[in-house]
Amino acid sequence: MAYDLEEQEQIEDIKAWWKQYGNLVILAITAAALTFAGFQGWRYYRNSQTVAASTLYQQLEQAERGGDLKKVRGIAGQIVDRYGSTPYAVLAALSAARAGFDGGDLAGAKTQLQWVVDNAREDEVRDVARLRLAGVLLDEKNYAEALKWLEVKPVDSMAGLYADLRGDILLAQGKAAEARGAYQLAFDKSEAGSPYRATLQLKLDSLGEAKGAVNRERWNSKRHGPSNLAPNTEH
């Protein structure tokens, strides 16, 4: 097949361009292929990690239902160590923290909750971990440190819980007026008619009837179990 002069010139231009840039084109195509292959490989790796973590987490849930705190913490440790980048890792750490708290290992519980704060991607999960960590510190009577963990602004759905716990800490410090303000905020953030709101109302009523004096023994009995103490109705 014969080419006219213009076609021959175009062919020569293409040959010259390819001679100059052909290697770069090949490298670019090769890099793109390797990137795609790497992406596919990463997706496969992440999926396999998630599946393996899910299997272990099911075992953890079974251990929780059976009340085996030691096994819960052991499986949670495996998930966090091996599959820390998966969503199951933060759930496992929260479970391990609860198991540690229930078993009296407050230091271990705090370590797990700190890991969640540092590694969770969702704001809600970090807020849950901060709230629980402040609760552990309250049980340790480390009130100042507990309040620090509640200084951040949580997601709206947890604002009431943060205020409620802040009230508990302030009350434990003997700051009844400040505690009442925190409980009032928690009450305002709660849903009308909810059992939780009724509990907050009891806290507010108790402080209101105390004329500013804090009867911590009476209050602690309300927090941790049934109380036979009647409200103070003296005026």
Side-chain angles (χ1 to χ4, degrees):
M1 179 179 179
Y3 297 96
D4 58 27
L5 182 60
E6 183 177 356
E7 289 174 332
Q8 289 178 357
E9 289 177 350
Q10 290 176 347
I11 292 172
E12 291 302 320
D13 289 342
I14 292 173
K15 288 180 178 179
W17 183 90
W18 182 258
K19 184 177 181 180
Q20 184 174 358
Y21 300 108
N23 288 338
L24 291 176
V25 172
I26 292 173
L27 287 174
I29 293 173
T30 302
L34 290 174
T35 299
F36 179 76
F39 176 73
Q40 292 294 97
W42 175 246
R43 286 185 60 185
Y44 174 79
Y45 171 77
R46 288 295 301 271
N47 288 338
S48 63
Q49 290 273 295
T50 301
V51 170
S54 173
T55 301
L56 277 175
Y57 190 73
Q58 290 175 20
Q59 298 175 20
L60 183 151
E61 289 182 314
Q62 291 176 355
E64 279 187 318
R65 289 192 292 270
D68 191 338
L69 301 181
K70 182 178 180 181
K71 190 172 183 179
V72 168
R73 295 166 66 183
I75 296 175
Q78 294 180 52
I79 296 174
V80 171
D81 291 342
R82 300 178 188 176
Y83 312 111
S85 62
T86 69
Y88 291 100
V90 294
L91 298 177
L94 289 173
S95 294
R98 181 167 55 248
F101 181 83
D102 292 343
D105 181 11
L106 300 187
K110 289 189 294 183
T111 298
Q112 294 294 338
L113 292 169
Q114 180 69 66
W115 188 90
V116 175
V117 172
D118 294 338
N119 292 276
R121 298 178 183 178
E122 299 81 8
D123 292 338
E124 293 85 350
V125 176
R126 288 195 297 271
D127 287 341
V128 167
R130 291 189 187 100
L131 185 71
R132 294 183 181 177
L133 186 49
V136 173
L137 290 165
L138 170 59
D139 274 39
E140 290 184 328
K141 302 187 186 322
N142 190 347
Y143 306 132
E145 188 67 21
L147 287 173
K148 287 181 180 179
W149 281 101
L150 300 178
E151 288 176 355
V152 300
K153 182 180 180 181
V155 294
D156 290 342
S157 62
M158 297 194 65
L161 294 173
Y162 267 58
D164 183 16
L165 183 56
R166 187 178 297 109
D168 288 348
I169 298 168
L170 291 168
L171 188 64
Q173 290 180 306
K175 300 176 181 179
E178 293 179 49
R180 197 178 202 291
Y183 290 142
Q184 185 63 57
L185 176 59
F187 182 86
D188 294 341
K189 293 284 186 180
S190 63
E191 296 183 5
S194 70
Y196 173 59
R197 196 176 215 203
T199 299
L200 291 170
Q201 185 63 65
L202 287 174
K203 292 184 178 184
L204 288 167
D205 292 345
S206 176
L207 287 177
E209 294 168 0
K211 295 182 179 180
V214 182
N215 188 333
R216 285 181 55 187
E217 291 299 325
R218 179 166 69 97
W219 184 250
N220 285 335
S221 67
K222 283 189 174 185
R223 286 185 62 228
H224 298 297
S227 172
N228 294 322
L229 295 175
N232 181 3
T233 57
E234 295 180 2
H235 295 280

